[in-house]
Amino acid sequence: MNFMTENQPKKPSKSDRTRAQILEAARLLFAEHGYDGASIRDVAAHASIDPAMVIRYFRSKDELFARAAVVDLQLPALRVIDRNAIGETLVRRFLEIWEGPASGPGMGILLRSATSNEFAAEKLRDVFGNQVRPVVAAVSDPADAGRRAGLVSSQLLGLAMCRYLLRLPPVVALSHDEIIQKVGPTLQRYAVGEDGS
Amino acid sequence: MNFMTENQPKKPSKSDRTRAQILEAARLLFAEHGYDGASIRDVAAHASIDPAMVIRYFRSKDELFARAAVVDLQLPALRVIDRNAIGETLVRRFLEIWEGPASGPGMGILLRSATSNEFAAEKLRDVFGNQVRPVVAAVSDPADAGRRAGLVSSQLLGLAMCRYLLRLPPVVALSHDEIIQKVGPTLQRYAVGEDGS
DNA sequence: TCCATTTGTCAACGATCGTTGACTTTCTAG
DNA sequence: CTAGAAAGTCAACGATCGTTGACAAATGGA
């Protein structure tokens, strides 16, 4: 066993690039065609290598998917935000995540497969519980942060579905400003709106 | 060829029941596991029948899915509704469709497979264009009915995803009253709210 | 240079899938 | 009652899939 290959910054060894190529191809194809729709052979072809290598580097398709479906929304930065602008802030971050220059297919991977793959569904619920919920809890009564975060997620997830996966024409056509202007207030009300109405 | 087997009310012939059993099993399994996840053999087993019969009655899996994925939201009845209550009315109808006593798995079938099956996606876009959009167009300026209906769909579709497919605990826990109270105003604003804000 | 580890290639396995065709059983009209 | 159509059974096909193991090439330290 090699005790030094893990997390050690001094190994840009030959194989690491292949490994990265596989993972990149996997993320792309999983995001585009879902878990079932993207075969290991497809991933291998996209990475210009042999299918057997995919299994060699990642032990199985499940494990490859687990490695590919890592999502970091980078939401903690929003904790210090004005609670009066939390709605707009969330939509802007949403657009950044899905369309920003540094955006990966991370969320697409999960959302594309979550409807028919229990692992992806569980992972998506994790993202909700560990990343979205805390942000909402920080700007409202933590007691019903779950309910509020759930409503926020329903709107954002639905928007992502319609715009990026289902590609509903009128939703695709919406400009960033329109989305911020229309959806922002909704999230604002869900996140910090009065309880009684 | 038999010219009288179509739409003629006088034929509860032996085979029609089997046909119905197959289709019922198919609707159930497609709704639960998606297009890829539900095999013809599964459907046959659920209908206590031979897999070959499924192909005999419906010509292929695609055709079976097409027959199973028929959705009628029965929304035209809402056309005469008060535009001040369109939001609440839509949420109530939404809950009726998904949880009502006479609710079938229709929408679940489409939504479950729409992320990784282009036919299901197209069918879902059809439901939007031919069933949701006209209702919104009837209560607002038809010129931007598409945009408004798109926003309405994003919220309702996201709610369905979180509550029925992803089963996000806090969203599952929401009572009907809470949903009506929280989501109703959102739809109201999307459907007939002022343009400028 | 030589050898051991790494990296890549190739063919095949067992399983599952949608689909087909030949066959037998059941039902029904004349 | 009997012939023919309808309904159902059975085994197999070709294709695709995830996965494996045996083998060849490349690499890098001694």
Side-chain angles (χ1 to χ4, degrees):
Chain A
M1 293 303 174
N2 189 340
F3 291 88
M4 306 191 59
T5 49
E6 297 276 357
N7 302 335
Q8 220 65 6
K10 47 154 148 178
K11 267 225 173 184
S13 65
K14 176 64 164 47
S15 73
D16 289 347
R17 204 174 51 232
T18 331
R19 194 182 187 86
Q21 283 177 15
I22 297 174
L23 204 134
E24 186 188 353
R27 284 171 64 84
L28 202 85
L29 293 180
F30 280 143
E32 198 154 346
H33 303 109
Y35 180 86
D36 289 321
S39 71
I40 284 194
R41 284 174 166 88
D42 289 339
V43 172
H46 234 78
S48 305
I49 50 141
D50 192 276
M53 297 300 295
V54 178
I55 297 292
R56 253 243 267 236
Y57 279 83
F58 308 83
R59 297 171 42 90
S60 69
K61 188 184 182 182
D62 286 332
E63 205 156 319
L64 172 63
F65 184 79
R67 295 282 179 185
V70 173
V71 167
D72 181 10
L73 263 23
Q74 301 186 344
L75 256 32
L78 309 184
R79 286 215 193 197
V80 289
I81 222 61
D82 182 8
R83 48 164 44 84
N84 291 340
I86 181 67
E88 178 174 332
T89 307
L90 283 174
V91 201
R92 287 190 186 279
R93 186 78 198 97
F94 170 88
L95 289 172
E96 185 75 20
I97 289 168
W98 283 93
E99 302 179 30
S103 75
M107 261 296 164
I109 299 173
L110 284 186
L111 198 47
R112 182 78 75 178
S113 300
T115 53
S116 55
N117 182 287
E118 185 53 32
F119 175 81
E122 176 60 27
K123 207 82 170 44
L124 199 50
R125 283 189 291 262
D126 272 5
V127 171
F128 163 82
N130 299 327
Q131 301 191 46
V132 179
R133 195 174 199 262
V135 175
V136 176
V139 296
S140 73
D141 178 14
D144 52 15
R147 202 160 50 238
R148 290 178 180 278
L151 288 167
V152 167
S153 298
S154 81
Q155 174 62 94
L156 290 180
L157 230 112
L159 184 59
M161 277 285 304
C162 290
R163 187 174 171 93
Y164 307 112
L165 303 195
L166 199 59
R167 279 184 246 273
L168 212 55
V171 180
V172 173
L174 289 170
S175 71
H176 285 204
D177 285 344
E178 278 174 315
I179 293 176
I180 293 168
Q181 173 186 281
K182 299 294 183 188
V183 179
T186 298
L187 301 185
Q188 183 71 31
R189 195 164 52 82
Y190 288 162
V192 299
E194 352 71 48
D195 274 72
S197 86
Chain B
M1 291 301 174
N2 187 340
F3 290 88
M4 308 192 58
T5 51
E6 297 275 357
N7 302 336
Q8 220 66 6
K10 48 152 150 181
K11 267 225 173 185
S13 66
K14 176 65 163 48
S15 75
D16 289 346
R17 205 173 52 231
T18 331
R19 195 184 185 84
Q21 283 177 16
I22 297 174
L23 204 136
E24 186 188 352
R27 285 171 64 84
L28 202 85
L29 293 180
F30 279 143
E32 199 154 348
H33 304 109
Y35 180 86
D36 288 321
S39 70
I40 282 193
R41 284 172 167 87
D42 289 340
V43 172
H46 236 77
S48 305
I49 217 175
D50 193 277
M53 297 300 294
V54 178
I55 297 292
R56 235 181 57 131
Y57 279 82
F58 308 83
R59 297 170 44 90
S60 69
K61 187 183 183 182
D62 287 332
E63 205 157 318
L64 172 63
F65 184 79
R67 295 282 178 182
V70 173
V71 167
D72 180 11
L73 263 24
Q74 300 186 344
L75 255 33
L78 309 183
R79 287 214 193 195
V80 289
I81 223 60
D82 182 9
R83 48 164 44 84
N84 290 338
I86 181 66
E88 179 175 331
T89 306
L90 283 173
V91 201
R92 288 188 186 279
R93 186 80 197 98
F94 171 88
L95 290 172
E96 186 74 20
I97 288 168
W98 284 92
E99 302 180 30
S103 74
M107 261 296 166
I109 298 172
L110 284 186
L111 197 47
R112 183 79 73 179
S113 300
T115 53
S116 54
N117 182 287
E118 185 52 33
F119 175 82
E122 177 59 27
K123 207 81 171 41
L124 200 50
R125 284 189 292 262
D126 272 5
V127 170
F128 163 81
N130 299 326
Q131 301 191 46
V132 179
R133 192 169 193 228
V135 175
V136 176
V139 297
S140 73
D141 179 15
D144 51 16
R147 202 159 52 238
R148 290 179 181 276
L151 288 166
V152 167
S153 298
S154 81
Q155 173 62 93
L156 290 180
L157 230 113
L159 185 58
M161 277 285 305
C162 291
R163 186 174 172 91
Y164 307 113
L165 303 195
L166 198 60
R167 279 185 246 273
L168 211 57
V171 180
V172 172
L174 289 172
S175 71
H176 285 204
D177 285 344
E178 279 175 315
I179 293 176
I180 293 168
Q181 173 185 277
K182 299 294 184 189
V183 178
T186 298
L187 301 186
Q188 183 70 32
R189 194 163 53 81
Y190 287 162
V192 298
E194 351 70 50
D195 275 69
S197 86

